[in-house]
Amino acid sequence: RVLFRSSFYSDNSYINNTNHCCMTDKTHDDANHSITITGWNDNYPAENFNETCRPKNNGAWLVKNSWGDNWQDNGYFWLSYEDSSLCEFSTFEFAPSDNFDTNYQYDSFMPARYMSASDETDSPSYIANVFTASDEQMIDAVSTYFVAPQTTYEVTIYTDLKDKSNPSSGKASSVTKGTSDMTGYFTIHLDKGVKVKKNSDFSAVVKLYCAKEKYIIPVETNLSFIDRNNGSTYEAFSAATYQQIQKYTAKNQSFFSEDGKSWSDTCDTSFTYSDDEKNTTISNIETAYGSKVAEKYKKYAETCDLTVTIGNISLKAFGNNVNKVDFSHSLPDIPLDESVALSSESGSAIKYSLNDGDFTDYSSPIKITSDTKITATCDDKTFYTKSFEPAAAEFGSLSCKTDEGL
């Protein structure tokens, strides 16, 4: 399942309320509203748009807005392909929530800033999070953000850590390598799952390198003016408040390194702006929000340092029960030329039943010829169930042309 997100300039004066469509003549810099693109029509008539701002050609995106079902056409409207404010395209590809049994994570907020572990320009950065296994599991994947295309990554899982303050103090797994051609948040499936013991400490370590971008570590941050005399904090436009970073970040959780051996804990790390950097920031605030807002921050600057406080690194690990049964298909619709295959995390023999019938030994993929519920187990204790049906072509609508019209 895929969703497409974008931004555009939203103003009711550009909307045709009869045809539920919109076309603006604004620019990317004017974009002020996020939307979800759910479809398109290359033949959507140009004449449907307002005469004062009408595209030259047919074609429009079908857009789902966020203002409820009572707005326009049940919450939807058409946005011209030629709208010049349309920008910031991104896609969201969703996977079934039962792909993994456990999500190990610390990050609670978006990584509004990116950092580098090294002062050198052409140098990799290492990131790591240390977790405690909730059960005996196989770590099958990790996920993180990539800020620049053509970023290479190397993922290693260290098990049975000897020292929680050193993410590489355990037994190293085989390395999963790759390159991200796109920016955004991605799940990386390990070439081979790594077994962890219940209540043992393990780490997910990722080596990142991009030849064109130095700052590639995704990390939660807060930017605040902190009073040098009494420690009072004054927020300066951050995705997370100073109090939130302090509350949700702890020692021995997130680390960064320039060599993968000597590690820095994010809890021990902060950055204070120089006077010139502080003045530049206030100048930018004045440009964006006006002199009245900037005056407040100029007052703070007299007795405060402008400081970036570091939170957790945006890096997750995903675990599965060692006796989990995996299904080759996640979605219920199975093409006629495909079958559902079963496999186990541990490689153990699998038993399965169809539609709550008797269990039998699994030996080959299961053909889906009718609505079928498959229940499978490899330990007679933990059972996994999915329902499937044969995929079939469906008409959304069917029209024919007659003498009276369509």
Side-chain angles (χ1 to χ4, degrees):
R1 297 292 188 269
V2 179
L3 290 177
F4 297 87
R5 173 203 171 275
S6 185
S7 298
F8 86 116
Y9 179 73
S10 176
D11 186 322
N12 287 337
S13 64
Y14 288 94
I15 295 177
N16 185 305
N17 293 306
T18 301
N19 298 317
H20 310 298
C21 59
C22 179
M23 161 77 179
T24 79
D25 53 6
K26 298 295 184 178
T27 68
H28 295 174
D29 292 337
D30 298 312
N32 60 2
H33 184 59
S34 293
I35 51 175
T36 300
I37 297 174
T38 61
W40 67 91
N41 183 351
D42 293 338
N43 299 312
Y44 189 84
E47 58 266 24
N48 280 6
F49 297 88
N50 289 339
E51 188 174 351
T52 54
C53 191
R54 180 171 288 172
K56 295 180 181 179
N57 302 293
N58 293 341
W61 300 107
L62 179 61
V63 173
K64 171 67 173 176
N65 209 346
S66 55
W67 296 337
D69 294 340
N70 293 325
W71 186 82
Q72 294 300 314
D73 188 7
N74 294 312
Y76 289 82
F77 72 103
W78 292 95
L79 183 64
S80 171
Y81 289 164
E82 298 179 21
D83 190 300
S84 52
S85 72
L86 200 58
C87 61
E88 297 179 349
F89 290 95
S90 58
T91 63
F92 297 83
E93 184 173 357
F94 296 93
S97 59
D98 60 359
N99 275 0
F100 306 105
D101 293 330
T102 305
N103 176 359
Y104 293 96
Q105 70 171 78
Y106 295 121
D107 50 313
S108 304
F109 311 102
M110 288 184 61
R113 290 178 176 82
Y114 291 79
M115 58 182 284
S116 173
S118 174
D119 293 331
E120 301 296 327
T121 300
D122 191 30
S123 179
S125 289
Y126 291 78
I127 59 175
N129 275 352
V130 172
F131 304 104
T132 300
S134 59
D135 205 340
E136 185 179 32
Q137 290 188 325
M138 300 294 291
I139 304 303
D140 288 327
V142 301
S143 64
T144 190
Y145 289 88
F146 294 101
V147 68
Q150 296 303 310
T151 297
T152 62
Y153 59 83
E154 297 182 12
V155 182
T156 306
I157 306 297
Y158 288 86
T159 55
D160 298 321
L161 298 184
K162 298 179 178 65
D163 180 2
K164 289 186 67 173
S165 67
N166 181 355
S168 55
S169 64
K171 180 181 178 181
S173 70
S174 58
V175 180
T176 297
K177 300 180 181 181
T179 301
S180 179
D181 295 326
M182 296 180 286
T183 62
Y185 176 81
F186 294 92
T187 298
I188 304 167
H189 293 266
L190 303 184
D191 294 337
K192 184 179 180 181
V194 180
K195 191 174 183 178
V196 293
K197 302 171 186 175
K198 184 176 181 178
N199 296 326
S200 67
D201 296 323
F202 71 94
S203 68
V205 175
V206 183
K207 177 184 177 182
L208 298 169
Y209 172 74
C210 181
K212 296 182 179 180
E213 178 58 57
K214 174 181 177 181
Y215 299 98
I216 53 178
I217 296 179
V219 65
E220 301 170 331
T221 59
N222 168 263
L223 180 65
S224 287
F225 287 89
I226 301 179
D227 195 291
R228 290 185 291 271
N229 299 315
N230 58 28
S232 297
T233 59
Y234 307 94
E235 299 292 334
F237 305 100
S238 296
T241 67
Y242 178 81
Q243 286 73 22
Q244 286 174 326
I245 293 294
Q246 293 294 314
K247 180 178 179 180
Y248 294 105
T249 309
K251 290 277 289 183
N252 296 331
Q253 291 182 345
S254 288
F255 302 83
F256 60 92
S257 170
E258 60 181 321
D259 60 8
K261 298 176 182 178
S262 178
W263 295 92
S264 298
D265 193 312
T266 59
C267 272
D268 300 329
T269 308
S270 63
F271 300 94
T272 299
Y273 281 31
S274 66
D275 288 341
D276 286 343
E277 291 170 331
K278 184 164 58 174
N279 291 334
T280 299
T281 300
I282 294 174
S283 177
N284 292 337
I285 291 174
E286 185 168 9
T287 300
Y289 301 101
S291 58
K292 186 175 181 180
V293 175
E295 283 300 320
K296 178 176 65 173
Y297 291 101
K298 289 178 182 178
K299 186 69 175 177
Y300 295 155
E302 295 176 2
T303 59
C304 298
D305 291 324
L306 184 56
T307 300
V308 178
T309 303
I310 307 299
N312 282 304
I313 288 173
S314 301
L315 173 62
K316 298 173 172 50
F318 299 98
N320 280 314
N321 187 306
V322 292
N323 291 314
K324 182 175 183 176
V325 176
D326 292 316
F327 295 76
S328 60
H329 292 65
S330 299
L331 301 178
D333 298 329
I334 307 299
L336 296 178
D337 59 345
E338 296 182 16
S339 299
V340 176
L342 306 179
S343 60
S344 66
E345 291 282 335
S346 61
S348 301
I350 300 171
K351 294 180 180 179
Y352 74 100
S353 75
L354 302 180
N355 300 322
D356 298 322
D358 294 335
F359 279 85
T360 186
D361 292 335
Y362 172 78
S363 59
S364 61
I366 303 163
K367 191 72 174 177
I368 305 299
T369 58
S370 61
D371 291 0
T372 303
K373 182 173 78 171
I374 302 176
T375 302
T377 181
C378 59
D379 63 357
D380 294 324
K381 296 178 181 179
T382 309
F383 296 85
Y384 296 89
T385 299
K386 281 185 178 291
S387 295
F388 301 97
E389 60 186 34
E394 297 180 2
F395 281 113
S397 64
L398 180 64
S399 302
C400 62
K401 188 172 184 180
T402 67
D403 292 339
E404 286 75 28
L406 191 65

